[in-house]
Amino acid sequence: MSDTRRRVKVYTLNEDRQWDDRGTGHVSSTFVERLKGISLLVRAESDGSLLLESKISPNTAYQKQQDTLIVWSEADNYDLALSFQEKAGCDEIWEKICQVQGKDPALDITQDPIDESEEERFEEIPETSHLVELPPCELSRLEEIADLVTSVLSSPIRREKLALALMSEGYIKKLLGLFRVCEDLDNREGLHHLYEIVRGVLFLNKAALFEVMFSDDCIMDVVGCLEYDPALVQPKRHREFLTKTAKFKEVIPITDSELRQKIHQTYRVQYIQDIILPTPSVFEENFLSTLTSFIFFNKVEIVSMLQEDEKFLTEVFAQLTDEATEDSKRRELVNFVKEFCAFSQTLQPQNRDAFFKTLANLGILPALEIVMGMDDLQVRAAATDIFSYLVEFSPSMVREFVMQEPQQTDDDVLLINVVIKQMICDSDPELGGAVQLMGLLRTLIDPENMLASTNKTEKTEFLGFFYKYCMHVLTAPLLANTAHDKNSKDLQEGSAKVNPVCPDNFQTAQLLALILELLTFCVEHHTYHIKTYIMNKDLLRRVLVLMNSKHTFLALCALRFMRRIIGLKDEYYNRYIIKGNLFEPVINALLDNGTRYNLLNSAIIELFEFIKVEDIKSLIAHIVDNFYKALESIEYVQTFKGLKGRYEQEKDRQSQRLNRSLSAPSYRKKTELWFNDDDDDDDGEAVEKSRMEDDFSDSYGKYMEAKKGMLLLNVSGLKRFTALVGLVDYPDDEDEEEEDEEEEQSPRKRPRLSS
């Protein structure tokens, strides 16, 4: 169907009193046999499916709003709306509804909603008294008018009747005329009554009244009435703010006067709802639902009108990326795009998708690449917010753009590298911007949101791109701050801090902690790529230098990085750790911590407890062989003695396996053959004897070597146990209690491992 007059969007009101878009289609009114009556049918323009089938009930109250909306309720808490593309189509369907109900199409509402409590009373009201009788609009009657408006709010029927009366007599404009008179006379009593009247009229929740009250010639007088709250000693100056303080900036001139008027109206109505009107009570929370809908549909219309004006948006992006554009102008342009993106968040998913696709087609990402690299902090901050909207909308769209860049530009100006550099160079002492950017980077490199992509190679291609072009930029600060670890051997033994280049600056430490958090995420989710990078760069060794930082949170981040690696139980990583002797800085940190029971102590012990519980044999053997002498004095947990026990159990198993191999039938048979072989075959006997002797010698040597390793250390019983995170003390004997008191008074560090 090509008739645009009948083109509509179908909306339903959800539990949060927000309108949900159910789809776009074409509406018709026809007799439906199954429903036995004339019904409204909406079929989707995409596939012809039925979006709406609603019988026009004789008793349903239909409302026409803003010339292109028809709203009604089909059941309790189930509101529907049809938003027409053209006014003519709305008028056509409205006439059909009024024809079925026998109503005058000139009215904007077909029925008075009736609740059960007032149904009987309504039947008693004569048909001639369908309107509330309003007092004459005079200064002397303002109190009477205010009482009338306030009294009807509790009755749905009387609210409807009052609304009809106000619309039929042009009463609103007369009231606003009295407001100007009262203000000229400084008649505070009359102004207080007008506040109650205007507030009550807003609570009538009628779109037709809003159209009058929020028109250009009335809205500032409405705001003026709402300044005179009787509860305030002095009136608020809302009009002064709206006309003088709040400035409407046109970064690019808007030639469409209707669009400009709609923007002004929406801003002012939003101001009335958010700033001027008091927060509604539980009983009043539904009184302003139509006001919320009024703002919502205005925003949808504004975004649609701007989207359709390609010349306007094209000019915005052209000036945004033009080197000749002044800094102040560029700042305004970026802020406009930021507000435009924020505005779009009120749209339904389908509309929001179309919005961001329009921005992508106009070149939003290349523009961001330029403005995010500028020196202006305000421009960079606004650009970061825009980038966050785009990443949240479609990480795949951003990834697709950045993977095309290496063919066109240098590594230094790639969009992701620009983002990383902005994170690294964040001047905020609290690194607020860096934290936001780190979260965006994590979203982009998260394989979880790549799985649903139609492009099955997206994960492989993007991670390959990231590690080739971007990872060195991310790790640069980390490598720079751990560059001189080899000099640690020149320091005196027993030094509290092995590496003097560890960052003492809190801001640098925070930045390195953020980088480590992202690298830890990579270890958990990227397997092959991060493993190759860690091995090639010897990254874990560099990270463990930070165990010496005076900032405990940074040392914990370094430890967490190692813990994630060990948690994978990958023998490739385990061999790397053993070969590099990478447990040494961790154990030194534990010994340097002395007898203090803190988070660092617990985290290190948890690392070794994990190795023990998971029985990672290669790491257990390495730790016991190389570090047990330094750790055997730690008796307040059973972790290290447990590691020793695991080590001894494994040696026992190896010895038993060797014994079984020596006593196996095949071995005995070979021995018997050796003794019973033919004496005449001297040469063969000599060869066989020599071979068997060598076999036995090798086996026996291994057996004796295993036996030598079976010496057990006699250690005292465990006195305390430290949980994985928290620490729990068990009762000690008196001697150890005295030792503990001495330790608490003077924390003693254990001897460090020699470098």
Side-chain angles (χ1 to χ4, degrees), residues 7 222 224 333 418 444 496 521 718 731:
R7 190 168 184 265
V222 170
L333 288 164
V418 171
L444 288 174
F521 178 85
L718 299 178

Side-chain angles (χ1 to χ4, degrees), residues 64 562 656:
K64 187 169 72 165
M562 186 179 191
Q656 292 170 9

